[in-house]
Amino acid sequence: MTWLISVALLLGLARLVTQAVCAGRHRRREQARSRTGPRFLDPVTVVVPAHNRAATIAATVRSLVASDYPALDVIVVDDGSTDGTADVVARMRLPGVRVVQQANIGTPAALNTGIRHARTEFLVLTDGDTVFQPDTVYRLVQGFADPSVGAICGRTRVVDRRRPLGRWQHLDQVTGVNLDRRVYDVLRCLPTVAGAVGAFRREALRNAGGVPSDTLAGETDLTMAVLRAGWRVPYEGRAVAWTEAPATPRQLWRQYHRRCHGTLQVVWKHRRAVRERGAGGRLGRRALPYLAVLQVLLPLVAPVVDVFAVHGLFLLPWSPLVLAWLGLLALQVATAGYGLRLDGERLGPLWTLPVQQLLHRQLMCLVVIRSVVSALAGGRRRGHRIDAAALVDPPVGGRPPAAGPRDRGTRWPANRAGYPDRSRVRIDRDG
């Protein structure tokens, strides 16, 4: 137990320090680029795969059309929807929006179909339940002014934060995912472009062989292939997209399981990058070990801290244990606050961090155990389904979307926090 708690504390401390140092460096780089970098205004096409997204697709398309980018086309690929998704888009009759229909063969195939129909060299890939801010596309593609950049990752924000699960997902996104992306960017080995807000150069997609479909983490698989082809993949934290979070513990479990299992598949698929040179070598020797520690080793040993603390309260002098546990918690709170400030978020959710960390560690430990067993057994998980609320008009001024009109002309009432009441519409997030 002593050895395990030492490993857990050292891994957690090393991760927090690395995040803090690299995040500050990335922030300074981001500010320097915004002051001195050239403007990029080449034509861009946004590809939106959609399978049974009738409740959300109108808001997604409206937010894209409302973008302040001067040369923008939108292609909605209807992946065999049975709820009239394509009809919803067609009735909107918006300029620059096209609908392409195909049989239901999955999100990767829908993305590849949209890429083939696009007429521009630069593409933005998003989901049919995501809302962009007016400046999202502009900020996202500015990195393409550098000819060595093959893809760019934006930042996702959770819409519904009034529920505990939504608030915890928001904290996990800001204090974990976004800080880690800044670390990867500084190390020049970002392994995942967010599926909700990512941009790609067509040549980089061609080099990577298109969007893969043989793993559960297709966005990570694609990004690693782009990196191994020699392209740079930076993180642009100012390009914001709003998306839904799982609404129930079951949905959260399935999302974490899919992510962890898919990551294990992708790490194994790209394991030969460890022996490569250049960008592939940076991926193999920097990102893959970090992913293994972050996604597998740390979640397995971190719960030992809580078990050892409870054990020590009964059988050991409790004051050193309590002080050590509180010290680690204080460090986590400080890092989380730093991440919230970097992303321009309010510090209010910090009070839920102790409970979130306690429950999150146990959940991730169980998820990793099941994912490792599934991966070793060769199993392949299907995409999960979530209940998604009808998204609304694009956010303004960094606030979550306010309630707005649904596709059929009715209005969803807003609650006291300014969010739309949830509809009970079944949405297949992975096609």
Side-chain angles (χ1 to χ4, degrees):
M1 291 288 289
T2 301
W3 279 105
L4 285 175
I5 194 172
S6 300
V7 170
L9 290 173
L10 287 175
L11 288 176
L13 181 62
R15 182 193 180 192
L16 294 174
V17 171
T18 302
Q19 285 178 330
V21 173
C22 291
R25 186 175 178 182
H26 180 271
R27 179 66 170 176
R28 291 190 294 272
R29 285 184 181 180
E30 202 171 55
Q31 292 172 344
R33 286 198 304 266
S34 65
R35 291 192 300 265
T36 62
R39 296 182 68 198
F40 180 89
L41 296 174
D42 286 15
V44 172
T45 299
V46 183
V47 178
V48 186
H51 175 72
N52 289 344
R53 303 286 194 189
T56 61
I57 192 64
T60 297
V61 173
R62 278 198 302 267
S63 73
L64 295 172
V65 173
S67 296
D68 54 18
Y69 196 78
L72 186 69
D73 290 329
V74 179
I75 297 178
V76 178
V77 183
D78 180 26
D79 186 39
S81 297
T82 57
D83 64 348
T85 297
D87 296 333
V88 170
V89 180
R91 287 197 301 268
M92 297 173 72
R93 298 181 180 178
L94 295 173
V97 178
R98 287 185 286 158
V99 178
V100 177
Q101 293 182 276
Q102 67 174 30
N104 179 213
I105 51 179
T107 299
L111 287 169
N112 287 324
T113 297
I115 292 168
R116 287 195 301 269
H117 282 79
R119 294 187 284 262
T120 62
E121 176 64 21
F122 302 95
L123 304 106
V124 172
L125 309 184
T126 185
D127 296 327
D129 61 350
T130 300
V131 166
F132 278 25
Q133 295 184 171
D135 63 346
T136 298
V137 175
Y138 175 81
R139 292 186 179 278
L140 183 63
V141 301
Q142 290 308 297
F144 287 132
D146 182 350
S148 67
V149 171
I152 304 171
C153 177
R155 175 164 63 98
T156 55
R157 298 177 75 176
V158 176
V159 172
D160 190 356
R161 306 174 191 173
R162 70 188 187 277
R163 295 171 294 105
L165 278 183
R167 194 177 298 116
W168 292 348
Q169 284 290 284
H170 167 58
L171 277 175
D172 183 46
Q173 187 74 31
V174 172
T175 64
V177 177
N178 291 344
L179 282 178
D180 285 331
R181 284 172 179 164
R182 294 179 186 273
V183 173
Y184 288 127
D185 192 358
V186 170
L187 298 178
R188 300 179 63 189
C189 59
L190 180 66
T192 305
V193 170
V197 54
F200 291 85
R201 193 185 297 264
R202 182 183 293 275
E203 184 180 354
L205 288 170
R206 190 181 301 115
N207 295 153
V211 182
S213 59
D214 56 341
T215 63
L216 291 176
E219 60 276 10
T220 303
D221 197 353
L222 173 61
T223 309
M224 289 188 179
V226 170
L227 281 171
R228 295 180 68 185
W231 296 94
R232 284 188 56 225
V233 182
Y235 170 62
E236 178 51 72
R238 297 168 299 174
V240 177
W242 296 82
T243 189
E244 283 282 327
T248 65
R250 177 179 175 83
Q251 293 166 7
L252 182 63
W253 165 272
R254 298 183 70 179
Q255 183 190 73
Y256 277 163
H257 186 208
R258 173 185 173 274
R259 183 190 304 171
C260 184
H261 189 177
T263 299
L264 292 173
Q265 290 177 320
V266 172
V267 168
W268 180 254
K269 178 178 178 179
H270 293 275
R271 64 191 183 279
R272 292 184 177 85
V274 175
R275 301 194 299 267
E276 295 176 358
R277 297 182 178 180
R282 286 192 295 271
L283 170 70
R285 292 185 290 274
R286 298 178 185 177
L288 295 189
Y290 191 81
L291 277 173
V293 171
L294 179 66
Q295 299 284 352
V296 180
L297 187 57
L298 185 58
L300 285 177
V301 300
V304 176
V305 176
D306 305 312
V307 174
F308 193 77
V310 174
H311 164 76
L313 289 177
F314 292 97
L315 301 178
L316 298 174
W318 60 269
S319 54
L321 295 173
V322 172
L323 290 176
W325 191 84
L326 290 177
L328 181 60
L329 180 62
L331 186 59
Q332 290 173 329
V333 170
T335 305
Y338 184 49
L340 290 169
R341 291 294 298 272
L342 285 176
D343 284 350
E345 303 281 0
R346 290 179 294 182
L347 301 181
L350 278 179
W351 70 271
T352 65
L353 186 66
V355 177
Q356 188 258 4
Q357 285 291 316
L358 185 64
L359 297 179
H360 188 265
R361 281 197 290 266
Q362 323 310 322
L363 174 63
M364 286 305 299
C365 181
L366 296 174
V367 166
V368 170
I369 291 173
R370 182 173 179 182
S371 299
V372 170
V373 172
S374 299
L376 292 176
R380 178 180 171 86
R381 299 281 299 176
R382 296 183 60 189
H384 62 281
R385 299 175 68 88
I386 70 167
D387 292 330
L391 291 175
V392 290
D393 295 332
V396 177
R399 292 182 58 81
R406 199 185 181 195
D407 303 335
R408 296 181 180 177
T410 58
R411 296 190 63 85
W412 290 100
N415 60 25
R416 294 172 62 184
Y419 298 99
D421 286 348
R422 298 180 61 80
S423 61
R424 307 300 295 177
V425 181
R426 299 293 291 180
I427 301 295
D428 187 340
R429 182 175 292 276
D430 301 298

